[in-house]
Amino acid sequence: MNKKEHINKLVEEALESVDQVSRAEAKPFLLTRINARMNKETESVWEKAGWFIGRPAVAFSGLCMIILINLAVLLFNQPSNTVTPTEQVAQSPTDEFSYSIATIYDTENTQP
Amino acid sequence: MDQQELIVQLQQGDGSAFKKLVDEWQHMVYNTALSIVQNEDDADDITQDVFIQVYQSVSSFKGESKFSTWLYRITVSKALDHEKKKKRKKRFAFVQSLFGNEEDEPVLPAEFNHPGVQLEKKERAAALFNALKQIPDQQRTAFTLHKLEGQSYQEVAEIMNTTLYAVESLIARAKTNLKKVLSSYYEKNIPE
């Protein structure tokens, strides 16, 4: 048998090597391990949420969103020039700094 | 209890139905995962993942396909995803090694021996499993389901959601590619 024939024979043997293969069996106590893992996954929902928020892409997007909201609030809430300024009630200095003292005699004796 | 009844009970969240499901299908899921990922610990993790997903999404199972077909689909998809992740990690480790960080250098996997292969065929089977890693995913899946899980071409077509003709073609191409890879391997490592 030459080398090529020998190789072809080996290739055929390799291809046929799994013809009557029996099924590999899972390790024992699989259900216990599955249950343990499901419980662990339920407990770590908050951890997952923290991890998700802490991802650079999410954190950066969140930061950008906050900055945009702040800018929008600043832009839309600026005082407009078309609005008439509120009239201020000018109080005369005499009212502010009145020297006349109102006493009970002043109200009773209005006439000189 | 027939399969339909089991599924209804699962959809109602019955724990004993889930136990029955795991008891009945665990070896099938494990063997399929093991044949694809070729690592016992990884296959065990995938088996757990598959059953957790089944438990969480059984309500979405409408019975349009056989339950076993649905289970095979989840298993194959998880196993292939796992393989992709592993390849990504290897690439990342390679990039890291280029920058001089060789602390996490990946350990090369040992030769895989499927526990179901007869003793006298172990050596040839190991060469075949090694060759299987070098052919495209679709071809590998079709070949694995047919040869290692004993599924008919029609069943493989249903699992892979394709036509019978496509499966015939995939398996034929898989054999051709495997022959090429094996020939090249034996040319370099011819046993006495």
Side-chain angles (χ1 to χ4, degrees):
Chain A
M1 192 187 289
N2 64 25
K3 191 182 172 187
K4 197 172 182 186
E5 281 174 344
H6 184 45
I7 287 170
N8 286 343
K9 187 176 168 280
L10 290 169
V11 169
E12 287 304 321
E13 281 176 10
L15 284 171
E16 287 163 10
S17 64
V18 291
D19 276 356
Q20 275 111 35
V21 68
S22 54
R23 198 174 253 174
E25 292 193 356
K27 291 174 189 169
F29 310 113
L30 178 67
L31 185 67
T32 313
R33 277 176 281 138
I34 292 170
N35 285 334
R37 206 159 135 185
M38 283 206 281
N39 291 335
K40 198 181 164 193
E41 280 180 12
T42 317
E43 281 167 14
S44 64
V45 167
W46 288 108
E47 279 175 30
K48 274 185 186 171
W51 173 82
F52 178 74
I53 294 165
R55 285 171 66 189
V58 178
F60 185 71
S61 308
L63 193 67
C64 287
M65 188 84 87
I66 290 166
I67 291 168
L68 281 174
I69 291 168
N70 275 292
L71 283 175
V73 169
L74 279 173
L75 285 172
F76 289 109
N77 284 344
Q78 264 187 352
S80 170
N81 291 333
T82 55
V83 179
T84 320
T86 313
E87 284 182 17
Q88 289 183 336
V89 180
Q91 287 181 303
S92 65
T94 48
D95 288 344
E96 287 280 324
F97 307 102
S98 178
Y99 295 109
S100 59
I101 302 162
T103 65
I104 189 164
Y105 303 108
D106 294 333
T107 49
E108 280 178 355
N109 307 309
T110 49
Q111 297 296 321
Chain B
M1 189 193 294
D2 73 333
Q3 223 170 75
Q4 193 56 43
E5 205 178 326
L6 182 76
I7 292 157
V8 172
Q9 286 188 358
L10 271 173
Q11 286 171 336
Q12 289 164 350
D14 187 340
S16 66
F18 184 62
K19 184 184 179 303
K20 275 177 197 157
L21 173 93
V22 173
D23 286 345
E24 193 175 336
W25 298 100
Q26 59 177 327
H27 302 313
M28 176 276 261
V29 172
Y30 178 75
N31 187 52
T32 308
L34 181 66
S35 304
I36 295 173
V37 299
Q38 301 183 17
N39 178 295
E40 293 184 1
D41 291 332
D42 291 348
D44 189 56
D45 283 344
I46 292 164
T47 308
Q48 290 176 37
D49 279 349
V50 169
F51 283 110
I52 290 170
Q53 186 169 339
V54 168
Y55 186 78
Q56 288 168 345
S57 59
V58 72
S59 52
S60 66
F61 178 70
K62 295 181 182 77
E64 285 163 1
S65 60
K66 280 196 286 181
F67 184 72
S68 58
T69 305
W70 186 60
L71 205 52
Y72 269 121
R73 274 184 201 156
I74 297 174
T75 310
V76 168
S77 150
K78 292 240 178 234
L80 290 177
D81 280 352
H82 183 274
E83 285 288 274
K84 279 175 197 156
K85 268 185 204 164
K86 223 174 172 178
K87 277 180 193 165
R88 266 204 300 272
K89 269 186 189 170
K90 272 186 193 169
R91 273 201 294 269
F92 184 63
F94 172 72
V95 172
Q96 272 190 324
S97 72
L98 289 178
F99 290 100
N101 183 2
E102 291 178 19
E103 284 170 15
D104 298 326
E105 201 172 338
V107 181
L108 286 172
E111 188 179 69
F112 173 66
N113 283 306
H114 190 285
V117 174
Q118 292 162 5
L119 195 64
E120 66 272 18
K121 294 179 178 173
K122 288 243 182 235
E123 203 182 325
R124 301 281 180 274
L128 177 67
F129 276 106
N130 194 38
L132 269 170
K133 283 193 276 186
Q134 295 169 53
I135 65 171
D137 286 349
Q138 290 282 88
Q139 293 175 23
R140 177 155 59 132
T141 305
F143 185 87
T144 305
L145 288 170
H146 177 59
K147 283 273 188 181
L148 288 136
E149 266 299 308
Q151 299 293 301
S152 67
Y153 281 15
Q154 183 58 47
E155 285 164 329
V156 175
E158 283 166 21
I159 294 164
M160 295 181 75
N161 211 10
T162 186
T163 61
L164 185 64
Y165 174 76
V167 171
E168 284 171 354
S169 166
L170 278 172
I171 292 178
R173 276 185 283 151
K175 282 181 182 168
T176 310
N177 285 334
L178 285 170
K179 277 182 186 173
K180 275 183 201 164
V181 177
L182 285 166
S183 297
S184 151
Y185 168 76
Y186 282 125
E187 271 168 24
K188 290 170 199 155
N189 311 281
I190 197 154
E192 290 171 15

